[in-house]
């Protein structure tokens, strides 16, 4: 049995062939010795040992000899998989502190906040055990006739892709410009994976896709071009380990775009946790690409199943850096509390961030605001929506505050229609007042007002249902773009009529808009060069809007 390859040898296959030091060295590697890569003619770095701890990759041997010119070295998932060794079982935050103490890294609060997210996933992986890999049968991969579900894009038989496990930890999607520290952060996470993870895979995304297409081509030659081999290939990849790390996630090829959604979903269905770096936000992937509409479900899946974290620390006039993740967080896991805290400090008063309670009055009634900092108010869902409140209460809150954090938002079924209507009214008030909204939710936004179980029950009741597998396939397609499928949903028994269904769709649309960077940064002096002009202009516009609503 071939012994596991060292991290340095594995990393050689990720970048330019034969050049292990392709990426710019971080400050932790400033003591590296320079040489010239025989293949590319570029400088490369041979890294001396940093620590003598149990971290397998703390010292990296020099790369192997480069291949002759004109030859490339194949990079497959198998060759990029190594045995995980972390005898000290320390996490990313402890390793970061160690490097800061040794003067190898400069302490940075923005970066520390990102590493805290790495630490959260590290802790989840300590206790996560992936279920056994189930390889689909070849018969299940053959094409079948369409069912009455075809209006939603679903098939007429059980899908070979199993549902994503409910206990699968959400992965990480780290994006930022060149020099934002992507490689250092991935090194930190990968090298400190908990001992519970027995093997780990790290590979450049382009090489991963080439390996995947090679596997698909081989299977189609063997079993026929009409067979759907993506689930079978995903099961093979999942056999190599349940933590898969990609360097430089991107999509520039239509062949990649056509299979990415099903490939990623299939990997997750086998319990694989994905961690990736990229230069682009998921919404920017494959921009202006051929048939990009077919790629949008892949983007939605990435945003729903990975924590999207911005590595770029905006320099602005505020004393507290902008949080790295977006304003919405799901599920209510270990990340949720720190997510709300970071945004509360950012949106509140930088000089006096400690919260205090306030009381607002409307029509002789008191509205208790439990946590306030500056013009930012923080409620739990129960404190805001669980009490008898009305549009008048929300309008009064909009006059008093510019930003709102609502934490611990549950998924709402038809049995909680009153809560759902109340929450939609609050969302409308926030949107109309141009205020900002941060949420931590138990379920993804698409499932806030109607549960997957309700949709499944509704579909099962329709004529032509052929079993749970078909319903699950239809539901997956529908949940990916629920806003545009609302017309079909309005005809089901999930809503009392078109008006309620479209109010629900409008709320989803407004939440999407309020989650954009442009919306969040508007009025905070961050739009151009960190000046205060934009904030003053926004304040005037909002003041006039508030006067009009009085």
């Amino acid at each position: 049995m071939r012994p596991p390859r060292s991290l340095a040898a594995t990393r050689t296959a990720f970048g330019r062939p034969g050049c292990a030091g392709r990426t710019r060295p971080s400050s932790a590697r400033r003591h590296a010795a320079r040489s010239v890569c025989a293949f590319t003619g570029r400088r490369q770095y041979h890294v001396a040992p940093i620590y003598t701890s149990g971290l397998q990759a703390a010292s990296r041997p020099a790369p192997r000899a480069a291949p002759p010119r004109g030859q490339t070295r194949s990079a497959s998932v198998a060759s990029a998989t190594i045995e995980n060794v972390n005898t000290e079982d320390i996490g990313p935050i402890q390793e970061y502190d160690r490097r800061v103490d040794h003067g190898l890294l400069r302490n940075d609060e923005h970066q520390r906040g990102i590493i805290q997210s790495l630490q959260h996933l590290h802790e989840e992986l300590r206790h996560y055990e992936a279920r056994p890999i189930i390889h689909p049968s070849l018969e299940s991969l053959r094409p079948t006739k369409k069912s009455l579900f075809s209006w939603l894009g679903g098939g007429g038989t059980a899908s070979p892709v199993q549902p994503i496990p409910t206990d699968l930890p959400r992965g990480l999607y780290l994006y930022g410009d060149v020099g934002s520290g992507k490689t250092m952060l991935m090194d930190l996470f990968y090298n400190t994976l908990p001992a519970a993870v027995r093997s780990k895979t790290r590979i450049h995304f382009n090489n991963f896709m080439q390996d995947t297409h090679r596997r698909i081509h081989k299977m189609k030659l063997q079993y026929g071009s009409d067979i759907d081999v993506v689930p079978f290939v995903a099961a093979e990849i999942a056999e190599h380990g349940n933590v898969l790390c990609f360097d430089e996630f991107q999509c520039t090829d239509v062949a990649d775009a056509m299979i990415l959604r099903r490939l990623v979903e299939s990997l997750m269905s086998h319990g694989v946790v994905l961690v990736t770096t990229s230069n682009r936000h998921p919404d920017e992937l494959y921009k202006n690409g051929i048939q990009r509409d077919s790629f949008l479900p892949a983007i939605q899946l990435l945003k729903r199943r990975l924590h999207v974290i911005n590595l770029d620390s905006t320099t602005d006039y505020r004393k507290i850096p902008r949080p790295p993740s977006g304003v919405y967080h799901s599920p209510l896991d270990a990340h949720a509390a720190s997510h709300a805290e970071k945004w509360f400090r950012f949106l509140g008063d930088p000089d006096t961030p400690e919260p205090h309670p306030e009381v607002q009055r409307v029509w002789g009634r008191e509205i208790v605001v439990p946590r306030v900092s500056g013009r930012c108010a923080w409620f739990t869902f129960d404190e805001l929506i669980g009490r008898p409140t009305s549009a008048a209460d929300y309008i009064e809150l909009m006059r008093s505050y510019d930003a709102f954090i609502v934490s611990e938002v549950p998924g709402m079924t038809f049995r909680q229609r009153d809560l759902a209507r109340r929450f939609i009214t609050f969302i409308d008030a926030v949107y109309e007042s141009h205020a900002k909204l941060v949420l931590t939710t138990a379920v993804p936004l698409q499932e806030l007002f109607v549960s997957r179980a309700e949709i499944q029950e509704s579909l099962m009741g329709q004529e032509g249902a052929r079993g749970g597998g078909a319903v699950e396939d239809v539901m997956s397609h529908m949940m990916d773009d629920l806003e545009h499928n609302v017309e079909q949903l309005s005809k089901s028994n999930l809503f009392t009529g078109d008006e309620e269904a479209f109010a629900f769709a409008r709320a989803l649309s407004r939440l999407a808009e309020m989650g954009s960077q442009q919306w969040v940064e508007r009025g905070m002096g961050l739009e151009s060069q960190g000046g205060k002009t934009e904030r003053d202009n926004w304040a005037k516009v909002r003041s006039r809007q508030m006067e009009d609503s009085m």
Side-chain angles (χ1 to χ4, degrees), residues 97-116:
D97 289 338
R98 180 185 292 185
R99 295 187 186 187
V100 170
D101 292 341
H102 282 72
L104 299 171
L105 291 175
R106 177 178 58 85
N107 187 52
D108 181 275
E109 286 305 316
H110 177 78
Q111 203 167 66
R112 183 175 289 277
I114 294 167
I115 295 170
Q116 191 62 55

Side-chain angles (χ1 to χ4, degrees), residues 490 495-502:
S490 67
F495 299 96
T496 57
D498 289 350
E499 184 176 348
E500 184 179 72
F502 283 98

